[in-house]
Amino acid sequence: MKQKYNIFSLMRNARQYHQNWDKAWRSPEPKGEYDVVIVGGGGHGLATAYYLGKYCGITNVAVIEKGWLGGGNTGRNTTIVRSNYTMDESCAIYEKSVQLFEDISQDIDYNVMFSQRGLLHLAHNIHDMQEIGRRGHANWLNGIDAEYLTPQQVKDMVPLIEINGRYPVMGALLQRRGGTARHDAVAWGLARKCDEMGMDIIQNCEVQGFDIVNGVVKGVRTSRGNIKTKKVGVVAAGHSSVVANMAGFRLPLESFPLQALVSEPIKPVIDQVIMSGTVHVYISQSDKGELVLGAGSDAFNSYSQRGAFNTIEHIMAPLCALFPFVSRLKMLRQWGGIVDVTNDRSPIMSKTPVENMFFNCGWGTGGFKATLGSGFAFAHSLANGEMHPLAAPFGMDRFISGALIDEGAAAAVAH
Ligand SMILES: Cc1cc2nc3c(=O)[nH]c(=O)nc-3n(C[C@H](O)[C@H](O)[C@H](O)COP(=O)(O)OP(=O)(O)OC[C@H]3O[C@@H](n4cnc5c(N)ncnc54)[C@H](O)[C@@H]3O)c2cc1C
């Protein structure tokens, strides 16, 4: 049983100069064999492991991470959580995820600081108005909260926004239950819980190949030795194509850098998350006071976790037009992550040509919000050998059948 995180343990440990906290998770040597091996120690991989233990009773599990936990996109994203997508299949899985986010802090005894502060999608032209109109109705039909705001209502909620400037605001779609969550807390909290269930979280261990016999996966080859397993779940985000290549097949996705940046910390000025698909920018304020800013992915395929400077200019120019005060701020940090993008902007959760090997990827620029829903559905799929109903529409076969789930508009500004 792990040490509880609460006011009493905090006070007790403060008296001991914080020297005696238990390690949140062990760093074990890999065993020779597991029932399930998860490749990728990001949020989706850890959530998959957690729900495998919680709902499917499978705890002989290893999560194998080539770097450090959450060092991929999980620790690099801008933490936006929402479920107001357009297509029924997307609404179902993203809404499941938001519902799980609402309870996860109690569930795993770890505060992920889920803040349902409200999220606005701005409309600047007729096309935007039509898009949010359609999406809001789709949300209502799927039981997801959505409200339309007039320009004046936007101004009342967000006093610092310029609604009559270069990018006039004609209205907005508001999801009040949308907001942000602390991204690395999600990874750490899930890892701690997986460890408590006896699972092995193995960092600094790269998967370099697979043992495949007669089309069935039998094990993974890693930088720390070979591991036998009955099932493999690959959740490697931007590096999914590289891992698929090791197993001998190609995935219908491309990898791009996606950047974000934060300003110097200032007093609270922005209470919600505000996004604009048309000028391709979004803004929120972290609990530390930094403005968190982002935009779309870079234009060129790359595995460099940096991104190009012209993309930053494309973030800042419209942002200064929408929020003129931002031009007075210094930007503190910029970073990038490698996002895995499909051509219908929907994820891939699928069986593969290799038996007992499953892939969960293609979440692209907006998968943080899906971490829990994806882990929930993928865990059931791995356990049962058949895709869970929430995951089934996102199979790879849709790129052959043509049953695409086009989220180009709702996912247009990353996230
Ligand atoms: C700048 C930026 C901003 C974003 N903002 C948002 C947002 O606001 N809201 C939102 O919903 N989404 C956002 N996203 C997208 C979101 O971060 C991702 O979709 C999500 O975090 C993916 O989680 P994951 O667990 O699948 O991937 P990751 O966290 O990337 O985990 C995959 C892991 O696999 C590991 N790995 C890869 N290859 C191997 C190997 N061979 N062996 C072992 N391990 C391997 C990697 O090291 C990595 O840690 C953003 C992304 C970026 C980059």
Side-chain angles (χ1 to χ4, degrees):
M1 185 70 179
K2 292 266 177 210
Q3 201 172 18
K4 280 261 179 204
Y5 289 163
N6 56 30
I7 184 70
F8 303 109
S9 58
L10 189 63
M11 281 161 43
R12 194 167 50 252
N13 279 282
R15 280 205 306 276
Q16 296 160 357
Y17 299 98
H18 296 291
Q19 297 301 304
N20 296 319
W21 286 106
D22 288 347
K23 284 222 162 79
W25 58 85
R26 298 161 297 128
S27 291
E29 282 303 312
K31 292 193 291 198
E33 186 163 0
Y34 293 91
D35 291 339
V36 178
V37 167
I38 309 281
V39 182
H44 287 242
L46 290 162
T48 304
Y50 171 59
Y51 290 120
L52 269 175
K54 180 173 164 112
Y55 290 124
C56 310
I58 301 175
T59 53
N60 185 21
V61 175
V63 179
I64 303 210
E65 166 55 49
K66 71 174 175 176
W68 66 95
L69 276 195
N73 293 346
T74 296
R76 294 166 187 270
N77 65 68
T78 43
T79 76
I80 296 171
V81 177
R82 64 183 175 94
S83 59
N84 57 354
Y85 281 71
T86 310
M87 309 306 285
D88 293 346
E89 299 85 348
S90 322
C91 287
I93 192 156
Y94 287 105
E95 177 57 20
K96 175 73 185 171
S97 199
V98 169
Q99 288 172 8
L100 290 168
F101 263 105
E102 285 169 340
D103 293 330
I104 193 72
S105 294
Q106 285 73 25
D107 197 14
I108 61 175
D109 182 30
Y110 202 103
N111 188 359
V112 305
M113 297 162 79
F114 185 37
S115 160
Q116 292 178 292
R117 58 184 66 179
L119 182 142
L120 283 79
H121 278 103
L122 302 178
H124 301 286
N125 52 43
I126 300 292
H127 169 79
D128 286 352
M129 290 298 284
Q130 289 168 341
E131 191 276 317
I132 63 169
R134 178 176 175 223
R135 185 142 56 96
H137 282 87
N139 293 157
W140 289 339
L141 289 172
N142 280 288
I144 295 170
D145 63 309
E147 291 170 45
Y148 296 111
L149 300 185
T150 62
Q152 191 53 49
Q153 286 172 313
V154 173
K155 185 73 182 166
D156 292 344
M157 276 187 100
V158 189
L160 288 176
I161 197 169
E162 176 58 66
I163 58 169
N164 296 314
R166 179 163 185 198
Y167 304 109
V169 174
M170 293 176 69
L173 184 67
L174 168 67
Q175 184 177 25
R176 285 191 196 270
R177 289 167 58 247
T180 58
R182 172 88 193 262
H183 50 188
D184 36 23
V186 171
W188 298 336
L190 288 169
R192 180 170 172 266
K193 211 63 188 173
C194 290
D195 181 86
E196 185 180 288
M197 289 191 279
M199 299 178 184
D200 286 351
I201 313 284
I202 303 165
Q203 300 181 83
N204 298 312
C205 179
E206 182 174 10
V207 170
Q208 298 171 331
F210 296 97
D211 287 324
I212 298 170
V213 181
N214 297 328
V216 184
V217 69
K218 298 287 180 189
V220 293
R221 295 184 205 147
T222 80
S223 52
R224 290 167 64 179
N226 295 350
I227 301 171
K228 288 187 193 152
T229 184
K230 300 186 185 75
K231 285 182 184 166
V232 175
V234 179
V235 203
H239 293 85
S240 300
S241 303
V242 180
V243 181
N245 195 33
M246 296 173 195
F249 58 88
R250 295 187 66 192
L251 290 173
L253 49 80
E254 292 183 276
S255 292
F256 298 92
L258 176 68
Q259 305 183 53
L261 61 161
V262 292
S263 73
E264 58 186 319
I266 53 174
K267 287 186 176 171
V269 286
I270 303 269
D271 292 338
Q272 304 79 12
V273 180
I274 300 140
M275 317 177 69
S276 165
T278 289
V279 299
H280 238 90
V281 73
Y282 63 90
I283 181 169
S284 67
Q285 190 165 16
S286 76
D287 295 332
K288 284 187 281 183
E290 300 159 334
L291 297 183
V292 182
L293 316 170
S297 49
D298 278 30
F300 301 101
N301 297 139
S302 167
Y303 286 106
S304 83
Q305 294 194 118
R306 293 169 49 194
F309 195 71
N310 68 317
T311 307
I312 299 179
E313 286 187 296
H314 289 156
I315 299 175
M316 295 315 294
L319 194 72
C320 290
L322 275 173
F323 291 96
F325 78 95
V326 170
S327 64
R328 309 280 298 275
L329 295 178
K330 294 186 182 68
M331 294 300 137
L332 275 194
R333 285 179 283 123
Q334 170 274 350
W335 66 92
I338 305 305
V339 293
D340 41 337
V341 178
T342 60
N343 63 13
D344 63 358
R345 300 299 187 266
S346 286
I348 295 170
M349 300 179 80
S350 189
K351 294 184 181 184
T352 67
V354 178
E355 206 173 315
N356 293 337
M357 179 182 286
F358 299 75
F359 264 68
N360 182 356
C361 56
W363 293 96
T365 59
F368 173 64
K369 63 181 75 63
T371 302
L372 303 178
S374 145
F376 174 88
F378 201 50
H380 281 88
S381 309
L382 279 170
N384 300 325
E386 290 301 328
M387 300 314 290
H388 184 274
L390 286 172
F394 299 104
M396 285 201 255
D397 50 358
R398 75 179 188 273
F399 297 97
I400 296 167
S401 69
L404 301 179
I405 303 168
D406 184 357
E407 284 295 355
V413 57
H415 337 300

